[in-house]
Amino acid sequence: MKTMTCKQLGGPCEQAHQGESADEVIKAQDRHLKEIVASGDTVHEQALKEMKGRWKNPVKGMGWYKKAKSDFAALPED
Ligand SMILES: [Zn+2]
């Protein structure tokens, strides 16, 4: 298992996400952004907007995705 924080994935807080793969932590971050903004948080609105933009524009989003994957690969195992 490895841990990436909301901040490491482009968000504003220190919430930690654990996963076996980069895809798992990226999915956890997507969920975190949706849930926290739905609960009334405004600090995460920008990060949520960017996340939605990546889905709408996969070519642009790919750069972010590749970076998240290589950051994840560089992390030590928990
Ligand atoms: Zn967060």
Side-chain angles (χ1 to χ4, degrees), residues 24-74:
E24 274 184 38
V25 294
I26 288 167
K27 269 185 208 150
Q29 172 71 352
D30 286 358
R31 212 158 44 229
H32 164 63
L33 291 175
K34 280 184 208 152
E35 281 174 4
I36 202 160
V37 171
S39 76
D41 179 280
T42 54
V43 183
H44 284 73
E45 275 176 353
Q46 185 59 33
L48 179 66
K49 225 182 266 174
E50 285 167 13
M51 186 264 277
K52 287 183 174 164
R54 283 194 292 276
W55 288 115
K56 270 189 227 150
N57 192 337
V59 177
K60 260 193 191 165
M62 195 50 77
W64 179 92
Y65 183 72
K66 279 193 180 147
K67 183 174 186 310
K69 279 197 110 151
S70 69
D71 286 353
F72 185 87

Side-chain angles (χ1 to χ4, degrees), residues 6 12-13 15 32 44:
C6 177
C13 83
Q15 168 82 43
H32 164 63
H44 284 73

